[in-house]
Amino acid sequence: MQLFSFLKKEFVKNVLTLVTGSALSQIVIYASILILTRLFSTELFGIYMLFSSATIILKPLATLQYEFAIVLPKKNKDALNLLGFSLIVLIGYSILLLLILFIFNDQIADFFNIHKLANFIYLLPLSVLLFGSVSIFDYWNNRMNNFKNISKGLLVKSSTMSVAQVATGFSAFNGIGLIPGMLLGQFLQLLFLLKVSVKSIKSARKEISFKNMLFLAKKYKDIPVFNTIINLTNNLSNELPVLLITKYFGLANSGIYGLAIKFMRAPVGIVQQSVSQVFFNKASKVYNEDGNLHTLVKKTAKNLLLISAFIFIPLFVISFYLDFLFGDDWQDVGLYARILIPWLFFAFLSNPINSLIMILNKQKTMVIFDVLLLIFRFLGLFLGYYYYNDIVISLIFFSLVGMLFNILIFIYLLKTAKEKKIAYK
């Protein structure tokens, strides 16, 4: 009954808090997209999506995923030391990445045939630094149950980014594209999170030391050893279409695919990301208190299944009218969006409970899952290009592989939730 009580009250309240902020931020983004598709070419969208995908792919290495560990310790002082260690790793990685890009810029541009991105590639370490920092402070606020701060941060980012991108599109600097606006949004989101986190950090700042950081980094070593690989391979496989479509079918097709996935992921992500953060917080507490994780997982999955009808049915219907909404240059956006629905539906059910991987210390198994997923997704996209030279067939293979693996992962996590093994000693 106690578990049911918090599901009905605190859990739902926290999810709604995050959903509200995410929904408002996505409404702003949707409104701006209707304008941006008429201001920027498909190629400039392709450059933007490639840059965004590179940021997402590189981010797991940037922090070694230690921000996930911030939620796990019982004491705030331990969590704060993990926060500090995460920031040190992130800064060092960003500097190293900048040096690598200076040395191998031409080779990277030649491999992906993205010479138009060459001038922006040096901004990638800055984007990774901002994105990683936001993630670190999001998890700190998650730990402190300050879900409103996370929600408001998303709204700050989306509103700033959208206004900046639209202003750029109407200005004489249209040619610089969408990337500067994205960076400005990330920067102001980080400033907001820093401002609202100062008070909670001050309470335990005297406990911060490099010795404690190293001790805790060692204690939670399974997170960087396995979870970094999991998230790197998962992000790479999710963003693989942008990379390979750019290489095989050109930046214009990459931009059309990017808009399709952006359109589909936005409403799905509103609920998915919100439930993920609250579920991680609650599942950690339930596990530490020897509660019933399996019941929590089943309840969460049932709620997600009910909610999915209100998301995917409207998305499917609207997808037939996207060329009207976005303009004549975006005729294939709706087709690409419908192809992606099977994958996104099953990902919607499985992704929010993926934090069980860390809580139950199942990273080793998930490494195998995600490496296989990456391999099969690559094969699907490549075979569609090599044998048919057809982007539609490539995307169908990609979506079917994602659907199958998400079903398998969900079944595995549901079964694993019954275990009582202690994850971290």
Side-chain angles (χ1 to χ4, degrees), residues 195-213:
K195 180 181 177 181
V196 298
S197 302
V198 167
K199 185 176 179 180
S200 58
I201 289 174
K202 279 184 177 180
S203 61
R205 70 182 186 277
K206 294 181 180 179
E207 303 291 341
I208 299 177
S209 71
F210 193 65
K211 181 180 178 181
N212 289 337
M213 289 181 191

Side-chain angles (χ1 to χ4, degrees), residues 150-324:
I150 301 172
S151 190
K152 290 177 181 177
L154 284 171
L155 189 56
V156 168
K157 176 189 175 182
S158 62
S159 56
T160 304
M161 180 177 70
S162 298
V163 170
Q165 289 175 337
V166 170
T168 302
F170 278 112
S171 74
F173 301 99
N174 180 285
I176 67 174
L178 298 140
I179 293 171
M182 183 188 81
L183 293 175
L184 181 60
Q186 289 176 328
F187 177 68
L188 291 185
Q189 182 186 17
L190 176 59
L191 284 185
F192 172 80
L193 289 171
L194 285 170
K195 180 181 177 181
V196 298
S197 302
V198 167
K199 185 176 179 180
S200 58
I201 289 174
K202 279 184 177 180
S203 61
R205 70 182 186 277
K206 294 181 180 179
E207 303 291 341
I208 299 177
S209 71
F210 193 65
K211 181 180 178 181
N212 289 337
M213 289 181 191
L214 292 177
F215 172 78
L216 289 161
K218 184 178 180 181
K219 179 179 180 180
Y220 292 97
K221 65 182 183 298
D222 278 355
I223 289 178
V225 171
F226 296 107
N227 215 63
T228 298
I229 299 174
I230 290 171
N231 280 274
L232 178 63
T233 54
N234 190 263
N235 288 350
L236 181 56
S237 63
N238 283 337
E239 303 301 323
L240 201 59
V242 175
L243 302 179
L244 294 186
I245 289 172
T246 300
K247 182 174 177 61
Y248 296 143
F249 302 105
L251 274 171
N253 278 306
S254 179
I256 295 171
Y257 167 81
L259 183 58
I261 193 65
K262 191 178 184 69
F263 173 81
M264 295 297 292
R265 273 181 175 169
V268 173
I270 289 172
V271 178
Q272 185 174 288
Q273 293 173 14
S274 301
V275 174
S276 294
Q277 293 203 44
V278 178
F279 179 86
F280 189 18
N281 181 294
K282 292 303 174 186
S284 298
K285 292 178 181 178
V286 170
Y287 189 85
N288 287 332
E289 295 168 4
D290 295 321
N292 194 329
L293 270 180
H294 189 253
T295 300
L296 175 61
V297 171
K298 288 198 299 182
K299 183 71 175 181
T300 303
K302 287 178 182 177
N303 289 336
L304 287 169
L305 187 60
L306 290 173
I307 294 169
S308 66
F310 296 96
I311 298 175
F312 287 96
I313 292 175
L315 281 177
F316 180 77
V317 174
I318 294 171
S319 70
F320 289 94
Y321 302 95
L322 292 183
D323 56 338
F324 170 76

Side-chain angles (χ1 to χ4, degrees), residues 373-411:
L373 175 61
L374 176 60
I375 292 171
F376 279 96
R377 276 180 164 172
F378 171 79
L379 288 174
L381 289 165
F382 177 75
L383 292 175
Y385 160 74
Y386 187 80
Y387 286 106
Y388 302 96
N389 194 27
D390 191 329
I391 186 174
V392 172
I393 294 177
S394 288
L395 289 178
I396 290 172
F397 287 160
F398 174 82
S399 184
L400 289 175
V401 169
M403 178 186 73
L404 176 61
F405 271 80
N406 273 286
I407 292 172
L408 294 175
I409 290 170
F410 177 82
I411 293 171

Side-chain angles (χ1 to χ4, degrees), residues 32-43:
S32 68
I33 286 176
L34 296 176
I35 303 172
L36 293 174
T37 52
R38 289 167 169 81
L39 295 175
F40 295 99
S41 68
T42 53
E43 283 200 350

Side-chain angles (χ1 to χ4, degrees), residues 98-113:
L98 182 61
L99 293 174
I100 291 172
L101 292 176
F102 266 114
I103 298 171
F104 297 105
N105 182 16
D106 292 338
Q107 289 87 338
I108 294 171
D110 287 338
F111 181 78
F112 288 107
N113 192 23

